């Protein structure tokens, strides 16, 4: 690895044993690998089934697949070129490709490599397989079975439900769990140590772990981002910097937004006073002009209002949660952020006011 | 002097666009410092995601950062209109690229529904090869390690504009590309709002938030531009600049354009001068006035005429929604604000999932009228009161 690769690539685990936290997966795979390696009748690792890795992003699916291939074929690039076909969403993967490219690759017979610990089959890694169209997946069914003597498939996806059942049933399924907070901290400390960052502030680690929600890649990326903007100044790696690096809204700004939500609406005041009427716009616009992402704002509002606020009763929280979900959906569809957030704040105001009335 | 002649005939916005990070100290100084540190990090530069409201200086900062990293070489750019044949069955895709020896800029969403193909074929092709100069330097000894050219990073930079406009498919296609070719290239993504950038991409990038400049900062920039244009300070009152800044919603591009427009129409500036407003804003105000004054089918027809006028002048539907709503809120009592906002948000959402802007705009106008009516004589009276 040359210098200057992002840390997430630099510290991507190379061997199965280095995969963090996914003990069950690693143990099973190791067993599968060693099962026949001493048995003279069959080739190394020949009992390996087709595999399906699924789980949330940043839990090590792609890394495991690549590490497994390394166990199977060693490090020689020559061998990799003929034995491993890696296809991901950046490649064209329509039904045409499945019919031609994958089939042609799978069909070819394998020459026996001299070394004992080289598997006598090829591997197709279908990364982000849940984005492959259903048609193309259907076309894969027979291919997988027919050429299983020469080719093993590794399908990788976030959602197992988007892999069609006939395909999923042909594979051994492995679920990748989100990393635990402690495991994540351990990994972050390891990276920090190798990058000679010195001791990381516990508070910073907490923030990184919390914002990444079990996604190690995101945490490592955020750590590097902090480091980049701090440029060697250990003092500058603060929880606030970590928040910024993770695209989150800092607490004071969030408070402003919540205040906008709480702005008292008195049902009797039919005020025509210009100042009060523009209030919401006055607080909301500067907030948006600072460029904070609307979805992070909503997510954090959810944590603050629905999960954390004691001032609301259950009905109100439920109502707010529904509105949050609707706003989020609209944003995901590409609706205008200003309009959506303005409507949302007004809604919360009404919900909050409804409580004080009776 | 010489430089100014070369730039003659350019708009002020382009003429006075800062080129280096050192010129960006007036606005967001702490952000500029961060970028300087990033530029110095050189080889360790992560992928970047610039985001923030329009007119805040995202593009300017990207260019300045590149210049800081690679030197003046990045300014020797050429604009190419390239045609690619990609995919199976082959489709022809056209993209306009701006490139130098070190970087390439493009707007993949220009390709419309085919943007995924651009990402898959074009960007991958660019990403997979090293910049020429780097290849040439490969064998060089470390003797000249301190010359500026060897401190240049060994990768090239692909700048993608308006990433938030990319389809989901195209964004998905970027995921592995970003990881796989991280040795040879870095991506710099530019977006107005990160909300529409999918999570897997965001988690691969170092986010750089570029907020809109504050009113003071806008005023400061405007002042320095007028000085460079040799306008005397007493002809450009502070209060007027402030008005321009507020009126343009702290969008620096708009502020400069409107300042230049005002300069052409009325100079020297007086404090009392009205800031020249774009015509479409005035029309939006008219629409709101129509809705607030009379809630009848006849009024709706008049509103429709106005809407068509706006749309034929290529004002996007969501902009019309916003400005009509603001104008309506200014004209109506506070009690009407929640329903009006909610309906505007509702129909604007419909608009972005639908296709014909006029239908949704009209539906909103009708709904707004109904809302005012629903509050009965009192609601109407209140509206008239404000008028």
């Amino acid at each position: 690895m040359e210098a200057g690769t992002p840390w997430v690539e630099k510290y991507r685990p190379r061997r199965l044993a280095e995969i963090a936290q996914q003990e069950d997966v690693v143990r099973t795979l190791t067993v599968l690998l060693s099962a026949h390696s001493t048995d003279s009748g069959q080739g190394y690792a020949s009992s390996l089934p087709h595999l399906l890795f699924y789980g949330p992003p940043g839990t090590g699916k792609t890394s495991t697949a690549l590490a497994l291939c390394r166990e199977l074929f060693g490090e020689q690039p020559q061998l990799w070129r003929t034995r491993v076909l890696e296809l991901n969403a950046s490649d064209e993967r329509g039904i045409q490709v499945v019919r031609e490219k994958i089939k042609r690759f799978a069909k070819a017979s394998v020459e026996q490599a001299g070394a004992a610990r080289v598997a006598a089959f090829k591997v197709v890694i279908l990364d982000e397989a849940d984005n492959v169209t259903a048609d193309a997946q259907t076309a894969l069914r027979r291919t997988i079975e027919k050429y299983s003597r020469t080719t093993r498939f590794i399908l990788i996806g976030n959602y197992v439900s988007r892999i069609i059942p006939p395909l999923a049933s042909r594979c051994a399924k492995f679920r990748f769990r989100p990393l635990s907070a402690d495991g994540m901290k351990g990994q972050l400390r390891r990276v920090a140590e190798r990058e000679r960052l010195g001791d990381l502030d516990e508070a910073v680690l907490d923030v990184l772990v919390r914002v990444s929600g079990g996604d190690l890649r995101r945490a490592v990326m955020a750590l590097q981002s902090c480091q980049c903007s701090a440029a060697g100044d250990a003092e500058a790696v603060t929880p606030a910097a970590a928040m910024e690096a993770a695209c989150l809204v800092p607490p004071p700004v969030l408070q402003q937004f919540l205040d906008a939500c709480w702005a008292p609406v008195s049902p009797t005041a039919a005020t025509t006073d210009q100042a009060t009427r523009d209030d919401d716009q006055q607080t909301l616009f500067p907030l948006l002009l600072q460029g904070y992402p609307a979805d992070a704002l909503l997510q954090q509002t959810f944590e603050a209002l629905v999960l954390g606020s004691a001032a609301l009763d259950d009905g109100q929280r439920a109502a707010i949660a529904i509105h949050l979900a609707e706003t989020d959906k609209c944003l995901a569809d590409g609706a205008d952020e200003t309009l959506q957030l303005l409507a949302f704040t007004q809604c919360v105001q009404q919900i909050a006011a409804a409580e004080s009335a009776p | 002097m010489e430089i100014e002649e070369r730039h003659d005939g350019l708009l002020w916005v382009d003429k006075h666009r800062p080129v280096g990070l050192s010129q960006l100290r007036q606005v967001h100084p702490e952000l500029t410092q961060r970028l300087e540190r990033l530029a110095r990090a050189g080889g360790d530069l992560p992928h970047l995601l610039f985001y923030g409201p329009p007119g805040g200086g995202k593009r300017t900062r990207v260019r300045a950062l590149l210049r800081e990293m690679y030197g003046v070489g990045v300014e020797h750019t050429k604009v190419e209109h390239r045609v690619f044949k990609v995919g199976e069955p082959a489709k022809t895709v056209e993209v306009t690229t701006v490139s130098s020896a070190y970087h390439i800029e493009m707007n993949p969403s220009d390709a419309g529904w085919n943007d995924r193909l651009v990402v898959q074929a074009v960007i991958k092709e660019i990403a997979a090869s090293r910049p020429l100069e780097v290849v040439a330097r490969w064998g060089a000894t470390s003797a000249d390690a301190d010359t500026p050219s060897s401190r240049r990073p060994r990768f090239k930079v692909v700048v993608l504009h308006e990433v938030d406009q990319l389809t989901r498919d195209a964004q998905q296609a970027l995921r592995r590309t970003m990881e796989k070719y991280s040795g040879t290239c870095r991506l710099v993504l530019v977006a107005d709002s990160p909300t529409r950038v999918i999570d897997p991409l965001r988690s691969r990038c170092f986010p750089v938030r570029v907020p809109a400049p504050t009113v003071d900062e806008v005023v400061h920039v405007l002042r320095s531009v007028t000085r460079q244009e040799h306008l005397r300070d007493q002809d450009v009152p502070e209060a007027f600049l402030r008005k321009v800044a507020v009126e343009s919603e702290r969008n620096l591009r708009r502020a400069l354009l409107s300042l230049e427009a005002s300069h052409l129409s009325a100079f020297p500036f007086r404090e009392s001068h009205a800031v020249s407003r774009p015509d479409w804003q005035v029309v939006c105000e008219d629409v709101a006035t129509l809705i607030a004054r009379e809630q009848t089918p006849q009024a709706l027809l008049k509103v429709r005429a106005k809407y068509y006028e706006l749309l034929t002048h290529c004002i996007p539907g969501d902009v019309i929604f916003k400005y009509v709503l603001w104008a309506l809120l200014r004209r109506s009592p506070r009690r009407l604000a929640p329903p009006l906002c909610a309906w505007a948000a509702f129909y604007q959402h419909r608009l972005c999932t639908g296709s014909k802007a006029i239908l949704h705009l009209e539906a909103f106008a009708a709904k707004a009228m109904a809302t005012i009516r629903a509050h009965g004589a009192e609601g109407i009276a209140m509206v008239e009161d404000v008028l």
Side-chain angles (χ1 to χ4, degrees), chain B residues 259-318:
Chain B
L259 183 70
E260 190 171 5
S262 308
H263 175 243
L264 291 177
S265 60
F267 188 78
F269 301 126
R270 290 284 162 264
E271 275 181 34
S272 55
H273 277 181
V275 179
S276 79
R277 255 191 180 182
D279 294 337
W280 57 267
Q281 272 187 26
V282 180
V283 180
C284 286
E285 294 277 339
D286 290 350
V287 171
T289 311
L290 281 171
I291 295 175
R293 194 164 278 158
E294 189 185 334
Q295 296 85 35
T296 58
Q298 286 76 31
L300 201 54
L301 277 178
K302 284 186 209 155
V303 168
R304 168 186 291 178
K306 295 273 180 200
Y307 275 153
Y308 267 120
E309 198 180 318
L310 287 168
L311 290 172
T312 46
H313 284 85
C314 289
I315 307 297
D318 39 354

Side-chain angles (χ1 to χ4, degrees), chain A residues 242-321:
Chain A
M243 295 275 273
E244 178 82 35
C247 252
L248 285 188
V249 183
V253 180
L254 179 67
Q255 196 52 48
Q256 272 178 39
F257 181 69
L258 293 178
D259 287 346
C261 290
W262 285 126
V265 187
S266 119
T268 50
T271 174
T272 50
D273 178 18
Q274 184 75 28
T276 47
R277 204 163 340 106
D278 285 347
D279 263 357
D280 302 331
Q281 293 184 49
Q282 290 311 330
T283 41
L284 195 57
F285 286 1
L287 210 71
L288 287 170
L289 281 177
Q290 291 188 44
Y292 290 108
D295 56 347
L297 205 57
L298 285 184
Q299 174 67 35
Q300 288 173 273
T301 308
F302 173 73
E303 281 163 18
L305 279 190
V306 181
L307 301 182
S309 170
L312 297 164
D313 62 40
D314 289 352
Q316 288 171 323
R317 282 191 220 182
I320 292 176

Side-chain angles (χ1 to χ4, degrees), chain A residues 4 12 86 89-92 217 221 225 229 231 244-245 276-277 281 289-292 295 333 336-337, chain B residues 34 37 43 51 53 120 124 173 176-177 179 186 193 195 202 204 206-207 209 212 330 332 334 348-349:
Chain A
R12 194 185 267 284
E86 194 191 342
S90 71
D91 303 290
E92 184 62 46
R217 172 172 45 225
M221 196 65 224
S225 301
S229 49
E244 178 82 35
T276 47
R277 204 163 340 106
Q281 293 184 49
L289 281 177
Q290 291 188 44
Y292 290 108
D295 56 347
D333 283 343
D336 187 84
E337 292 182 1
Chain B
R34 252 207 352 256
R37 277 181 290 201
Y51 64 95
Q120 284 180 344
K124 228 161 119 180
R176 268 303 275 169
T177 311
E179 293 183 347
R186 290 293 184 286
S193 133
T195 309
R202 273 204 252 170
R204 283 171 173 83
F206 173 36
R209 184 171 55 87
R330 242 175 285 129
S332 56
R334 178 160 185 127
Q348 199 272 332
H349 173 231

Side-chain angles (χ1 to χ4, degrees), chain A residues 261-263 265 305-306 311-324 326 343-358, chain B residues 338:
Chain A
C261 290
W262 285 126
V265 187
L305 279 190
V306 181
L312 297 164
D313 62 40
D314 289 352
Q316 288 171 323
R317 282 191 220 182
I320 292 176
I322 290 173
H323 277 292
L324 268 171
E326 268 165 13
F344 176 73
T345 49
Q346 307 260 348
C347 241
V348 177
Q349 283 178 20
Q350 284 187 315
I351 292 169
E355 160 236 29
S356 53

